[in-house]
Amino acid sequence: MIDYVALAGVKSLGDEGIAHVLAQVRQDGGTIDDLFSATTKRLRDHYGLRTAAAQIMHDRSEQLRELASQLIERADALGVVVLGPADAGYPARLDEFYEGEPPVLYARGNLALLDAPGVAVMNSAKPPAESLEYTLALASRLAEAAQTLVVGAE
């Protein structure tokens, strides 16, 4: 879990980059520790990281992990769980939806609902007010119909 959060601290990697790197680790049959112990050249050539991201991972892996440990303590206090694609409890259908490169999830609440049939409601960081009204109305009706709602932002 710490390593997933540490990856989020690598500037220019982003959610899609993290998903790509984790998919490569899974394809190799390795562990995320292999990624953190890789040379800068391997991070670039094998995992597809940009030079800046590869350099940060190689030079600052211990700092990234220490900061991640602190963030996880704070997340735990808030009831937030970090799930990576290889973790037990990670929703299997996300792997197919994201074509083998599913994201790291930050979840709170009843995690068993992640595998239940449901509807995902996504929103952008700065949606127009009208979109928010439609989204709230849709989410309310789905909740009234006892549908599991998965909410997130892109």
Side-chain angles (χ1 to χ4, degrees):
M1 178 175 11
I2 287 174
D3 290 333
Y4 297 136
V5 177
L7 285 174
V10 178
K11 291 182 182 177
S12 79
L13 193 53
D15 291 341
E16 289 179 6
I18 292 169
H20 175 76
V21 166
L22 293 176
Q24 185 65 49
V25 168
R26 289 191 308 159
Q27 182 179 339
D28 293 347
T31 67
I32 197 166
D33 199 48
D34 298 333
L35 178 68
F36 277 92
S37 62
T39 65
T40 304
K41 181 175 176 16
R42 181 159 175 80
L43 290 169
R44 280 193 329 263
D45 297 347
H46 184 70
Y47 294 103
L49 269 64
R50 294 183 183 135
T51 301
Q55 198 68 49
I56 288 169
M57 279 201 63
H58 183 264
D59 294 348
R60 301 184 189 156
S61 64
E62 290 308 313
Q63 292 170 322
L64 290 168
R65 285 173 160 167
E66 178 59 34
L67 178 59
S69 178
Q70 294 169 14
L71 291 171
I72 287 172
E73 284 180 27
R74 289 174 33 204
D76 284 345
L78 296 171
V80 175
V81 176
V82 180
L83 289 173
D87 290 341
Y90 192 91
R93 64 182 169 200
L94 286 184
D95 191 52
E96 182 180 330
F97 180 81
Y98 283 98
E99 298 176 347
E101 296 188 3
V104 172
L105 298 179
Y106 301 87
R108 185 169 182 246
N110 182 353
L111 300 183
L113 293 174
L114 292 173
D115 281 323
V119 178
V121 179
M122 299 297 291
N123 216 339
S124 67
K126 296 181 182 178
E130 186 176 8
S131 293
L132 286 175
E133 289 176 27
Y134 288 130
T135 302
L136 180 59
L138 175 62
S140 296
R141 288 193 176 166
L142 289 167
E144 289 167 1
Q147 292 293 310
T148 299
L149 299 177
V150 180
V151 182
E154 185 80 25

